Amino acid sequence: MARLDLDGGGIEKLTICMIGGGGFIGSHLCETLMYETQHRVLAIDVYSDKIEHLLEQGHPWSDRIEFHRINIKHDPRLEGLIKMADLTINLAAICTPADYNTRPLDTIYSNFIDALPVVKYCSENNKRLIHFSTCEVYGKTIGSFLPKDHPLRQDPDFYLLKEDKSPCIFGPIEKQRWSYACAKQLIERLVYAEGAENGLEFTIVRPFNWIGPRMDFIPGIDGPSEGVPRVLACFSNGLLRGEPLKLVDGGQSQRTFVYIKDAIEAVLRMIENPSRANGHIFNVGNPNNEVTVRQLAELMIEIYSKVSGQPPLEEPTIDISSKEFYGEGYDDSDKRIPDMTIIKEQLEWEPKTSLSDLLEFTLTYQHKTYSHAVKQVLSKSIAS
Ligand code: NAD
Ligand code: UDP
């Protein structure tokens, strides 16, 4: 059946240039575009392992997906691919907190400088751009500056993050954690200015902790042994190895987590409803799934025990200081609840999946995908 947009109109088949298409979000977006639509994807990335299953020949969609192994930092083919497409989606970034304070230059280059030509080529060639920013551009909440027991901390005006109203509050320059947020904020401002001055058709996405299968890597299995991925993979790694989960500064920070498949539905609506999405910045998250990092760890421990059939450790978590875990210059966002008014109004989108359901789907995947390999690594290290 032909796909219809939100206003009942037919949807034209698009060619989409997806930069960073081999990453976590890119792999899920490519899957949805292949399984559910007739759009064509020119996927650009330096890695392709997360989309290999889509690139094999003989699928019904095989003539609709191409992979281009390109580093966008220095490759003249980029402009040609953007010109060939109707729409460019830029997902490429360094976006793991362990890098922000330890590789601040790479972080700033990746999130600002390397994105500049993409914006320029889209603007000069009159191509639509969906640019991936981050909820981290909001930084800390206004409420975080009030005393701990102040009643206004409970007032949504002091914590709810609104695209068109909330300020962006970062820590001092020596807290290099904010190198990422600041680079993302400046590229958002540039995209917005290209829209205002040169008519660029753009949409900016601010993801709020999208999680699910294929997120990051398990250290020593499909990523570096010393690597520090985002929290879902850090905690999965601990659970797979039977080690306590490390709670940075006591795990008091709060996050809202959204299931990747819900979030991809929001992106699909942006792709297929340009008149509703152009010129907007969208929070994409699940305000109903708020937990502290400590509560997240407790829930993951409980669900992993059910999924794997292994009882939890007697002491399943340990506290660790942020300096020891991430090094000098780390800082944290205290609380991240997205306001959903704009995305509900424009795209009629709402997240569906509860935190316990999404963790059960994801931990089942992690267990099936990694437990055998982790056991082998552990038994080798005991033997040697
Ligand atoms: P990811 O690291 O899995 O994906 C990014 C992809 O970009 C990787 O495959 C990487 O190889 C590729 N890439 C980076 N630099 C490149 C370059 N120079 N040339 C070619 N490819 C390059 O991350 P993700 O979670 O899929 O995030 C995608 C986007 O969404 C990023 O812009 C990130 O800042 C943003 N974001 C994601 C989340 C989340 O919850 N996952 C939260 C906030 C923001
Ligand atoms: N965190 C933690 N233990 C870990 C990894 C992360 O306590 O092993 C905390 C981290 O300090 C932050 C939260 O989990 O407060 C989320 O971290 P993530 O890396 O997912 O990225 P962020 O949401 O900060 O962008």
Side-chain angles (χ1 to χ4, degrees):
M1 232 174 46
R3 293 177 65 76
L4 296 178
D5 66 21
L6 291 168
D7 299 302
I11 295 171
E12 283 184 26
K13 287 181 197 169
L14 301 169
T15 298
I16 301 170
C17 173
M18 196 191 300
I19 306 168
F24 163 57
I25 295 176
S27 72
H28 285 274
L29 191 51
C30 284
E31 263 184 6
T32 298
L33 290 167
M34 293 304 110
Y35 297 168
E36 293 178 24
T37 78
Q38 288 302 313
H39 304 306
R40 185 168 164 239
V41 172
L42 314 173
I44 295 178
D45 207 302
V46 283
Y47 301 112
S48 58
D49 16 326
K50 294 187 184 187
I51 53 170
E52 275 317 325
H53 61 296
L54 299 172
L55 299 175
E56 289 156 5
Q57 286 307 305
H59 290 303
W61 57 78
S62 290
D63 60 345
R64 290 194 288 113
I65 185 161
E66 283 171 23
F67 179 70
H68 298 264
R69 197 171 304 281
I70 287 179
N71 184 336
I72 62 160
K73 274 185 192 299
H74 38 66
D75 200 301
R77 287 172 291 175
L78 178 63
E79 184 171 12
L81 289 164
I82 290 177
K83 276 187 180 168
M84 273 169 66
D86 304 295
L87 160 70
T88 293
I89 301 179
N90 189 8
L91 295 148
I94 288 179
C95 51
T96 22
D99 291 323
Y100 307 161
N101 57 316
T102 53
R103 298 169 58 202
L105 284 175
D106 287 342
T107 301
I108 293 166
Y109 271 78
S110 168
N111 284 285
F112 181 64
I113 306 285
D114 299 347
L116 284 177
V118 178
V119 181
K120 181 172 161 259
Y121 297 148
C122 287
S123 190
E124 286 174 357
N125 295 291
N126 296 318
K127 300 291 182 179
R128 196 176 158 220
L129 171 66
I130 298 182
H131 185 82
F132 270 71
S133 180
T134 172
C135 60
E136 200 153 318
V137 294
Y138 293 110
K140 292 169 182 275
T141 63
I142 308 174
S144 71
F145 295 90
L146 294 168
K148 280 260 173 298
D149 51 358
H150 198 290
L152 283 178
R153 276 188 172 236
Q154 308 310 318
D155 180 341
D157 279 350
F158 286 74
Y159 64 76
L160 197 62
L161 302 171
K162 300 186 183 190
E163 297 93 328
D164 53 347
K165 296 208 169 64
S166 299
C168 300
I169 309 174
F170 306 153
I173 303 299
E174 65 187 29
K175 296 282 186 199
Q176 295 200 71
R177 156 70 187 237
W178 304 109
S179 59
Y180 169 71
C182 194
K184 285 282 203 197
Q185 187 196 145
L186 192 52
I187 197 76
E188 277 202 23
R189 289 191 186 275
L190 187 104
V191 169
Y192 197 90
E194 279 290 347
E197 287 193 29
N198 296 326
L200 172 69
E201 290 184 11
F202 73 86
T203 302
I204 290 170
V205 186
R206 291 182 179 166
F208 280 66
N209 293 78
W210 300 9
I211 62 174
R214 294 197 293 273
M215 185 166 197
D216 299 338
F217 58 91
I218 296 299
I221 305 295
D222 55 0
S225 312
E226 302 305 315
V228 180
R230 287 170 284 188
V231 68
L232 175 83
C234 282
F235 286 177
S236 300
N237 185 36
L239 294 167
L240 285 156
R241 289 174 190 270
E243 292 171 1
L245 311 190
K246 294 179 177 165
L247 301 178
V248 172
D249 293 336
Q252 290 314 301
S253 297
Q254 289 164 289
R255 295 288 188 274
T256 51
F257 293 93
V258 65
Y259 190 38
I260 182 72
K261 291 192 191 303
D262 289 356
I264 291 295
E265 175 57 32
V267 182
L268 191 57
R269 289 187 186 203
M270 293 173 206
I271 293 172
E272 295 190 328
N273 294 274
S275 63
R276 287 171 176 245
N278 282 347
H280 286 282
I281 301 176
F282 292 115
N283 286 344
V284 181
N286 188 337
N288 306 318
N289 283 349
E290 192 188 28
V291 277
T292 62
V293 173
R294 178 178 290 277
Q295 288 166 331
L296 174 75
E298 287 163 358
L299 201 54
M300 285 181 68
I301 289 162
E302 184 194 316
I303 293 173
Y304 189 71
S305 172
K306 192 169 110 187
V307 163
S308 66
Q310 294 154 13
L313 298 176
E314 259 178 44
E315 283 184 39
T317 59
I318 46 164
D319 287 359
I320 184 165
S321 72
S322 53
K323 194 168 169 197
E324 200 182 330
F325 192 79
Y326 288 113
E328 208 63 67
Y330 181 75
D331 199 356
D332 210 349
S333 302
D334 53 305
K335 184 174 173 79
R336 286 182 186 158
I337 304 193
D339 181 80
M340 303 295 290
T341 312
I342 296 181
I343 196 159
K344 258 193 214 167
E345 257 173 35
Q346 292 301 122
L347 302 176
E348 300 166 25
W349 176 84
E350 278 185 279
K352 299 185 194 102
T353 314
S354 69
L355 186 58
S356 51
D357 283 352
L358 79 84
L359 288 177
E360 185 161 340
F361 303 146
T362 306
L363 288 173
T364 302
Y365 171 90
Q366 302 288 58
H367 185 66
K368 272 196 199 148
T369 311
Y370 293 109
S371 60
H372 182 66
V374 169
K375 269 191 201 122
Q376 280 190 321
V377 168
L378 291 178
S379 59
K380 264 191 209 150
S381 67
I382 290 168
S384 61

